[in-house]
Amino acid sequence: MDPSEVEFLAEKELVKIIPNFSLDKIYLIGGDLGPFNPGLPVDVPVWLALNLKQRQKCRIVPPEWMDVEKLEEIRELERKEDTFTPVPSPYYMELTKLLLNHASDNIPKADEIRTLVKDIWDTRIAKLRLSADSFISQQEAHAKLDNLTLMEINTTRSFLLDTLNCMYKLRSNLQPGSSGGKAQDHQ
Amino acid sequence: MLTLTLLFTNFCDLTIDLFLHYFQRVALLVSSDIDALCACKILQALFHCDQVQYTLVPVTGWQDLGTAFLEHKEQFRCFVLINCGANVDLLETLQPEEDSIFFICDTHRPVDVVNVYNDTQVKLMIKQDDDLGVPSYDDIFRDEEEEGGDDSGNESDGGSEPSGKRRRYDEGEVERRIERQRATREWEARRREILFDYEQYEYHGTSAAMVIFELAWVLTKDTKDMLWWAIIGLTDQWVHDKITHMKYVTDIATLQRHVSRHNHRNEDEDNSLSIDCMRISFEYDLRLALYQHWSLFESICNSSYTSCNFKLWSMHGQKKLQEFLADMGLPLKQVKQKFNSMDMSVKENLREVIEESSNKYGMKDIRIQTFGVHFGFKNHFLASDVVHATASLLESTEKDDSPGDNFIKALDCLSRSNLERLHGGIDLAKKKLMAIQQTVASCICTNLILSQGPFLYCYLLEGTPDVKLFSKPMALTLLCKYLLKAFVRSTRNKRCKLLPLIIAAPMDVEKRTVIVLGIPPESETSDKKNFFGRAFEKAAESTSSRTLHDHFDTSIIELKMEDRTKFLDALITLLS
C-alpha cells in the first residue's frame, strides 16, 4: 500500500469541529452529518474538517489524546515495555501530521506534540525492526504482534515480504542432502 | 446564502447577493503594481473560501485592458478591476453590454465623474472617509430637454395670430432665448472650469489591498496572511512615494489595530503558538533598504535617504560616511559583513545607536514605522524587503520573461511557501538598487540634469549601464525620485530646488521609443499631486507628436525618439 492510501483511510476518522455557519443535516453515502450550527461542536470526518478549516468555516478541536501530558505518559510507557503498547488512536501518526499541518493554530503546544508523537513513532518502529530481525534469524513460522497500526505495518510490509520470499527461494534451491550450512551463511 | 457587503462611497451603499446568485464567474483584471498584486492575493483567498470561480488577467495598460475585456466579454458579466479603470470614463472606453457590472478598486484619483455618478454598471470600492472632492451633480450634468425646446415651437405657429401681438410676443421670446443661451454658455464655462480644477492634479488614494482587507474583515474572513498582504500594499505606496507621510502614518495606525487584534488572539492562553505560525509585529525600524539581507554598509550606500543626506557620490560624502560609522563605534569589517553574521553585541542596540548618530548628521527620520513578519526559525522579513523583491520580479528584464510570466512569479513570491522566489527577488532588488545608485551618482557628477525653465529635465542615453532596467515604469519612478532628492541636495541654485523633474529613458530600441515620466517638486510637505498627466496630453496634441498614453498613471507616457525635442519645447511653452 502507498502511504498516501493509508492517509486517505485515516481521513475517515471523526474529529470535533466548531463551525461558524449553519447548515441542515447532509446525507452522504458514508452516513449523515450535521446539522451545523455556529458555535456548537459537531463530529465530522477529518477530510471535511480540513476542507472547512481551509475555507475558514470552522475551528478544529484537537482530539483528547493530542495533549502534552497524555502523550508524555504514552511515550514513557512505550519506552519501558518490550512489546507494543496500546495506541491512542489507530491513525495517530496520520492525524497528527494532517492536523498539525493545516490547523496548528487551533492546537496548543503544537511543536511539543509533534516532537512527542515522533518519539513514540520512533520507539515503535525500532521495536518492529527488532522483532522482524529476531523473527527471521530464529526462522519462526508465525509471529503475533498486538497493537500495531496500519501505517507501521505498511512501512515494513513490502520489504519483509520480499525478504521472506527471497529467503524461501534460496532455501528451496538447495540440493536435498547437501549441507544446510549454506543456508545459514545467507542470513 | 452567502452575501458580500461592499463598502462604497456615500453615493451608493448596497448589500448585494453577489457572486453566487447573479454571476457564475468573475473576471479579475489586475494592474501591474505591487499594491494591486496584494489586493489580488487577498481577493483570491476570499474567492477560495467561498469557492467562486474566477479568471485572473494581468493588464499593463489601457490597450491591454481593452483587449482583455474584448476577449472575455462573451463569457463574463462581472468584472473586478484592481488599480485600473477609475480615472477614465470606463463605459465610454470599453462599450460593454447593458448587464455587465464593473467593480473598481483603484487608488488612482481623481475618479472620473461619469464613473462616480453611474449607479448601475460601475461600482467603486472606496472607503467612506476617502475624500474624493467630486463636484456636485448639478454642476456638471444637465438635462438636455430644457435647451432649445421652446424656440422651435414658436417659429412653426406663425400665421394664426394677429401680427401686432405676435411681434411683441416674439420680442419677449427672443429676449428669453438670448437669456437662456447666455445662461447655458455661462454654465458650460463654469463646468469646464470645475472639471479642469478637478482633473488637473493626479494623486493616489487608500491602498487597494487595504480596502479589500477591510472587506475581508467585515466578512470576518480575515487571516494573518491577508493582513500581511495589506501591509505590503501600503508599504508599496510609501516606497514608491505615492502617498503623503501623514496618510502613511494614519494608515499604519489602522493596520496596527488589526495587528494587535490578531496578536491578542494568540496570546490569550498560556499555550503558545507553533513556531511555524506567522507572527506580524510592529517595528520602528531603520529606513535602510534590505539591510537585514545585505551588509549594513551596502545598505547605507544604496538607500536613497542615507545616500542623499551624505552625498555619497562625492569623495567628501564617502569620508562623512566613514566618520559616521566610526562615531557609532562600528568596525568597518563588521559593517561590511552580511548582516546575519554580524556579532550579536554589535546588532543588539543597532537601531538606537544609528538613530542617535543620525541625528547628529542631520538625518532626523532614519527610523520609520513599519511591520515585520516572523515564521519558522530562520525567516524574518520587513514589509519593505518584500516590496523591493516583488517589484524586481515584476519588472525583471531577463531575456525570456514575458510580462505574464513575471506577473505570476511576483504573485507567487508573496506566498509564504515560495521562499526561494522571494530570496531570488531580493537578489534582483539588490542589483536594481545598486544600478540606481550608480546612475544617480553619474548623473549628478556629469551634470546631466538641466533646468529647462519651468522644470528640470534628464535624459538617459542609450549606452548608460543598466538602462534596460529603467525602461520599466516602477524602476524609473524610483530612479527619478532619488535623482530629484540628490539634485536638490547638491545644487546651490535656490530656484531649481523647487522645480519638478521630467526624466526620459529609452524604452524600446527597435521601435525607437522613449519612456517619459514627470514627478512633482521635492518638498517636506509635498502633497504628491502630479499635474504632468494633463500637461503631457496637451503638449502631445499641440505638436502632434506620436505618443502613447497607455499607462494607468497619466504622468507616464511613451514617445517616439524623433519627437522628443518638439514635445519638450511644447511643454516648456505650456508650463511657463
Side-chain angles (χ1 to χ4, degrees), chain B residues 361-376:
Chain B
Y361 283 81
M363 297 189 285
K364 303 264 185 250
D365 304 310
I366 190 90
R367 283 172 85 169
I368 188 81
Q369 300 171 335
T370 183
F371 293 95
V373 73
H374 287 264
F375 47 92

Side-chain angles (χ1 to χ4, degrees), chain A residues 88-134:
Chain A
S89 152
Y91 294 103
Y92 73 96
M93 191 63 190
E94 302 89 300
L95 286 183
T96 313
K97 174 178 165 287
L98 285 169
L99 292 180
L100 289 179
N101 277 351
H102 296 123
S104 58
D105 48 337
N106 291 149
I107 299 175
K109 300 206 181 149
D111 293 330
E112 286 159 27
I113 290 180
R114 205 191 291 262
T115 325
L116 285 168
V117 169
K118 187 78 172 65
D119 286 341
I120 297 173
W121 168 267
D122 286 339
T123 319
R124 291 169 70 90
I125 291 291
K127 283 187 200 169
L128 186 58
R129 259 182 267 131
L130 265 177
S131 164
D133 195 45
S134 68

Side-chain angles (χ1 to χ4, degrees), chain B residues 155-432:
Chain B
E155 275 138 46
S156 52
D157 56 339
S160 48
E161 293 170 342
S163 45
K165 226 184 181 177
R166 195 182 69 188
R167 214 173 297 122
R168 253 178 304 159
Y169 191 57
D170 271 352
E171 279 173 16
E173 255 324 295
V174 164
E175 271 176 31
R176 273 198 287 280
R177 190 161 24 125
I178 294 179
E179 190 54 45
R180 255 198 312 274
Q181 282 177 347
R182 197 169 58 81
T184 315
R185 273 199 299 276
E186 264 180 30
W187 181 86
E188 280 187 355
R190 246 187 60 227
R191 174 180 184 270
R192 268 196 299 273
E193 209 185 290
I194 292 179
L195 277 181
F196 179 75
D197 283 337
Y198 177 62
E199 293 176 352
Q200 193 186 21
Y201 288 98
E202 179 190 61
Y203 59 103
H204 286 266
T206 312
S207 149
M210 276 182 67
V211 171
I212 305 219
F213 176 75
E214 299 257 322
L215 175 63
W217 177 48
V218 162
L219 295 170
T220 59
K221 286 192 193 295
D222 58 320
T223 59
K224 280 205 225 151
D225 280 307
M226 293 186 195
L227 179 55
W228 179 237
W229 290 324
I231 291 172
I232 296 177
L234 174 63
T235 312
D236 167 58
Q237 287 196 314
W238 175 71
V239 166
H240 291 103
D241 220 14
K242 291 186 188 165
I243 54 175
T244 61
H245 189 68
M246 262 328 300
K247 178 138 181 58
Y248 175 71
V249 170
T250 323
D251 287 343
I252 287 271
T254 319
L255 287 176
Q256 164 69 334
R257 286 196 282 274
H258 289 289
V259 168
S260 340
R261 181 172 54 89
H262 277 273
N263 284 342
H264 178 66
R265 223 188 267 163
N266 304 337
E267 276 142 28
D268 254 349
E269 325 100 56
D270 47 352
N271 305 317
S272 54
L273 274 189
S274 161
I275 196 78
D276 285 330
C277 284
M278 182 188 235
R279 280 180 178 76
I280 304 179
S281 52
F282 177 78
E283 314 258 352
Y284 188 40
D285 213 336
L286 299 169
R287 213 192 253 208
L288 300 171
L290 299 174
Y291 79 95
Q292 290 177 358
H293 304 272
W294 219 346
S295 70
L296 195 57
F297 186 74
E298 295 265 8
S299 179
I300 294 180
C301 290
N302 292 311
S303 303
S304 68
Y305 187 69
T306 41
S307 167
C308 290
N309 270 293
F310 282 129
K311 300 203 196 113
L312 285 178
W313 50 84
S314 62
M315 283 311 299
H316 177 65
Q318 299 278 352
K319 285 211 194 94
K320 256 176 97 175
L321 175 60
Q322 308 280 2
E323 272 175 36
F324 174 69
L325 293 171
D327 184 61
M328 290 193 288
L330 296 176
L332 251 178
K333 219 172 99 177
Q334 286 284 331
V335 160
K336 289 195 178 171
Q337 242 187 353
K338 240 172 96 82
F339 187 80
N340 285 332
S341 323
M342 278 168 72
D343 278 346
M344 276 314 292
S345 56
V346 174
K347 275 200 276 190
E348 213 127 74
N349 282 329
L350 191 64
R351 290 185 217 171
E352 284 82 19
V353 166
I354 290 189
E355 185 174 19
E356 227 183 279
S357 290
S358 314
N359 278 331
K360 288 190 219 160
Y361 283 81
M363 297 189 285
K364 303 264 185 250
D365 304 310
I366 190 90
R367 283 172 85 169
I368 188 81
Q369 300 171 335
T370 183
F371 293 95
V373 73
H374 287 264
F375 47 92
F377 287 103
K378 269 207 299 185
N379 304 309
H380 173 57
F381 297 101
L382 287 176
S384 52
D385 298 341
V386 181
V387 169
H388 282 293
T390 318
S392 315
L393 282 175
L394 191 57
E395 295 193 327
S396 136
T397 49
E398 306 288 318
K399 274 280 159 41
D400 33 336
D401 280 341
S402 70
D405 284 338
N406 285 342
F407 185 90
I408 298 296
K409 284 193 190 142
L411 205 60
D412 278 343
C413 104
L414 287 173
S415 327
R416 269 193 288 157
S417 45
N418 286 325
L419 284 178
E420 333 80 51
R421 234 198 249 297
L422 185 57
H423 285 294
I426 289 183
D427 288 332
L428 281 177
K430 289 182 195 169
K431 290 199 194 118
K432 181 171 92 167

Side-chain angles (χ1 to χ4, degrees), chain B residues 23-38:
Chain B
F23 308 106
Q24 298 305 313
R25 287 147 71 198
V26 179
L28 196 54
L29 303 172
V30 181
S31 156
S32 296
D33 65 84
I34 313 299
D35 187 23
L37 255 66
C38 294

Side-chain angles (χ1 to χ4, degrees), chain B residues 35-96:
Chain B
D35 187 23
L37 255 66
C38 294
C40 171
K41 278 295 245 199
I42 302 179
L43 204 51
Q44 279 181 314
L46 284 176
F47 284 161
H48 286 158
C49 279
D50 287 334
Q51 299 186 324
V52 174
Q53 292 182 328
Y54 65 94
T55 301
L56 174 61
V57 185
V59 292
T60 47
W62 292 108
Q63 286 181 346
D64 243 1
L65 184 61
T67 330
F69 178 72
L70 285 174
E71 277 173 26
H72 292 101
K73 71 176 191 183
E74 303 298 314
Q75 305 134 16
F76 292 93
R77 287 288 160 262
C78 178
F79 294 85
V80 177
L81 272 64
I82 302 190
N83 268 358
C84 51
N87 46 358
V88 150
D89 185 354
L90 200 63
L91 300 181
E92 187 66 38
T93 328
L94 296 181
Q95 304 279 337

